[in-house]
Amino acid sequence: MKNHNLLAGFGLLLIVSLAVQPVQAQRRLLDEVKQDLNALTLNVDNYQNALNKLKPTLSHEETKNEAEVWFMAGKIAYAKYDKYRALQTIGKKPDEKAMGAIILEGYDYMMTALKLDTVPEKDKHGKVKINKNTGLPKVKTKYSKDIHKIVLSHYNDYKLVGRIFYSSVPDFDKAYKAWDIYTSLPDSPNYSNSLRNQVTDSVIGEYRFYQGVVAKMDERYSDALGSFFKAIDKGYNKKDVFDYAIGCAEHEKNDSVLVDVVRQAYKLYGKNDSQYIRILFNYAINNKKYDIAIKIIDQAIADYPDNAEYYDLKGVLLENQSGSIDSSFEYFKKAVDLDGDFIKANFDLGRYYYNMALRESDTSKLKEKLALALPYLEKVHTAEPSNRAAKDALRIIYYNFNDAEKMEALGE
């Protein structure tokens, strides 16, 4: 009986021993890495070897939730990055791709460490202290201060790495990530005080714009839109940011966002670029929201009464709404009067006269109105020889005027 109990006890000890061994193995790895880091002056390869040795602790069940292992991985990654930068100072060209990748990897390690860096506070008897207000255990951090210091000391490096991955070693996903770190940290409670006087909103807005550009180039249109809106929120309101955002919204078929961006762009740049009104106008027309379209174009005319395109659009709107070109004349005429070289308005005024002519049964009146259409349609054909509608109308006009030479010159 005693032997049986002895064997049972030995078996229990063996099970406990086997359970502890994996944990001890991970601890030994961590200790070995610490010793390696303190033993000698390390080069880039030494740092990478140390990181490779440590990596099993990041996924092992017994250590993966400990802040220390992630903090140590982050320290090594940032130290490797610093070694690359040191090589630059002595005129040696580092592996920029590896240099950029390791600081982004290090940042991820540090952010994971921050999430895990909570240590229960204990009293002198070893019992966990309780917060009287919340009833929850009191906790303190062990590595967070050092993590913030390391991340903050590399703040401008994230901007640099973004540029590397944008142009030197194109990797738009990594460029996006680097600039996301650079633009996000100033708004983080952990870093805002330190960075308040180091970077302005205008710079953050500019790099949010760049972040949006690389996301768009990577065909991540939704992410790009988010970055462009953040750029605008920071006061970056150059025309490009709106034009890029419009392109992304159109690709995503997000009408509500599209209309919002276009309205903002119109307020700033509508005087010199009528595309914004055209987009709003087409949106309203395509959705048969004619009342909205009229308000849009009337406001544009009121804002910019010398813009020929807005009058032409008003004429097209009335034609679409009523199904008849009759009420469009004054707007097509006004557009041509304002800008005689505006081909679209010439075409619309020419086809107005042409349509009026085709209604006439009296030959003299028919020719009279065809003669009114002729100069406008000829101008369109000269500027746009491929405009089939203008060519076909001219063919009819030349036929009625027995001008075989000009008919033949039109070709097929």
Side-chain angles (χ1 to χ4, degrees):
M1 187 67 175
K2 290 181 179 180
N3 289 338
H4 176 74
N5 290 337
L6 182 61
L7 287 172
F10 177 75
L12 180 60
L13 288 172
L14 180 61
I15 292 171
V16 172
S17 175
L18 290 173
V20 170
Q21 283 178 4
V23 181
Q24 292 176 336
Q26 302 308 310
R27 297 289 178 203
R28 280 198 300 272
L29 274 179
L30 183 59
D31 291 339
E32 286 175 15
V33 170
K34 289 180 180 179
Q35 291 173 9
D36 290 344
L37 293 175
N38 293 326
L40 70 164
T41 301
L42 300 176
N43 58 32
V44 167
D45 290 337
N46 294 146
Y47 281 118
Q48 188 58 52
N49 291 338
L51 186 56
N52 290 341
K53 182 184 287 190
L54 182 65
K55 280 187 176 180
T57 66
L58 304 179
S59 57
H60 194 278
E61 196 63 34
E62 299 298 334
T63 51
K64 68 180 184 180
N65 292 319
E66 293 189 13
E68 184 181 16
V69 296
W70 293 96
F71 172 62
M72 184 58 63
K75 280 186 67 175
I76 296 171
Y78 277 98
K80 180 183 175 183
Y81 173 83
D82 291 340
K83 182 60 67 174
Y84 277 125
R85 294 285 278 153
L87 292 174
Q88 287 182 317
T89 64
I90 59 175
K92 293 186 178 181
K93 184 172 177 61
D95 181 339
E96 289 190 318
K97 182 177 182 180
M99 182 178 81
I102 196 63
I103 194 175
L104 297 181
E105 189 177 333
Y107 180 82
D108 287 341
Y109 291 146
M110 289 304 198
M111 293 303 104
T112 302
L114 274 178
K115 293 176 183 176
L116 299 172
D117 188 29
T118 53
V119 180
E121 289 190 35
K122 296 181 180 180
D123 60 22
K124 60 183 179 180
H125 302 295
K127 292 184 178 181
V128 175
K129 294 181 180 180
I130 301 298
N131 186 313
K132 293 180 180 179
N133 294 325
T134 65
L136 298 174
K138 288 186 176 181
V139 296
K140 59 183 178 180
T141 59
K142 187 174 182 180
Y143 303 103
S144 294
K145 185 176 180 180
D146 288 334
I147 291 170
H148 294 318
K149 183 177 179 181
I150 291 171
V151 170
L152 190 60
S153 68
H154 291 83
Y155 176 64
N156 285 309
D157 293 295
Y158 309 114
K159 177 171 68 173
L160 168 68
V161 167
R163 291 174 179 170
I164 288 172
F165 284 123
Y166 173 62
S167 56
S168 300
V169 188
D171 185 327
F172 298 140
D173 182 61
K174 287 186 172 63
Y176 177 93
K177 180 176 179 179
W179 283 333
D180 192 54
I181 297 170
Y182 178 73
T183 53
S184 296
L185 288 183
D187 289 328
S188 167
N190 294 319
Y191 305 103
S192 57
N193 289 335
S194 300
L195 295 175
R196 183 174 292 124
N197 298 320
Q198 188 172 334
V199 62
T200 63
D201 279 353
S202 62
V203 172
I204 295 300
E206 181 180 1
Y207 276 85
R208 281 294 189 189
F209 170 66
Y210 297 152
Q211 184 190 20
V213 170
V214 295
K216 184 177 185 295
M217 294 172 75
D218 209 24
E219 299 183 353
R220 295 164 52 190
Y221 299 103
S222 180
D223 288 336
L225 274 172
S227 297
F228 292 139
F229 277 121
K230 289 175 182 177
I232 294 168
D233 287 342
K234 287 295 184 181
Y236 187 88
N237 60 3
K238 292 185 178 180
K239 189 173 183 297
D240 282 352
V241 73
F242 296 104
D243 292 346
Y244 272 106
I246 287 168
C248 291
E250 288 177 330
H251 189 278
E252 292 289 279
K253 295 181 171 54
N254 192 328
D255 285 346
S256 62
V257 170
L258 176 66
V259 169
D260 181 40
V261 177
V262 173
R263 287 186 186 279
Q264 293 183 62
Y266 170 74
K267 290 178 182 178
L268 295 171
Y269 301 106
K271 182 177 182 180
N272 299 315
D273 192 340
S274 58
Q275 70 157 318
Y276 306 118
I277 280 296
R278 281 202 310 273
I279 292 170
L280 291 174
F281 177 80
N282 289 335
Y283 167 77
I285 292 294
N286 291 338
N287 289 279
K288 300 187 183 303
K289 297 180 178 181
Y290 295 114
D291 290 344
I292 294 176
I294 287 174
K295 289 180 181 178
I296 290 170
I297 204 65
D298 283 348
Q299 184 62 54
I301 290 172
D303 291 340
Y304 306 111
D306 295 329
N307 190 308
E309 187 169 358
Y310 295 158
Y311 289 95
D312 185 67
L313 285 173
K314 178 67 179 285
V316 171
L317 170 62
L318 294 174
E319 182 181 0
N320 275 272
Q321 185 179 26
S322 65
S324 168
I325 200 171
D326 294 10
S327 59
S328 302
F329 171 74
E330 65 175 292
Y331 297 100
F332 294 153
K333 183 68 167 59
K334 179 69 173 179
V336 172
D337 289 343
L338 286 171
D339 184 356
D341 294 324
F342 181 23
I343 297 304
K344 177 65 167 57
N346 275 271
F347 175 70
D348 286 331
L349 185 56
R351 68 186 180 83
Y352 169 82
Y353 284 127
Y354 179 77
N355 276 276
M356 294 298 104
L358 296 183
R359 297 180 187 178
E360 297 291 348
S361 56
D362 182 273
T363 302
S364 61
K365 289 183 178 180
L366 167 69
K367 290 185 176 181
E368 181 182 321
K369 289 182 178 176
L370 287 177
L372 291 174
L374 183 60
Y376 302 109
L377 294 175
E378 284 184 328
K379 178 174 274 190
V380 173
H381 178 62
T382 300
E384 299 176 354
S386 61
N387 188 320
R388 190 75 199 181
K391 184 185 287 189
D392 289 345
L394 285 171
R395 198 182 309 280
I396 297 298
I397 294 173
Y398 293 148
Y399 173 81
N400 277 274
F401 286 111
N402 298 313
D403 196 333
E405 183 178 346
K406 286 188 176 181
M407 281 182 65
E408 185 176 350
L410 288 173
E412 294 299 323

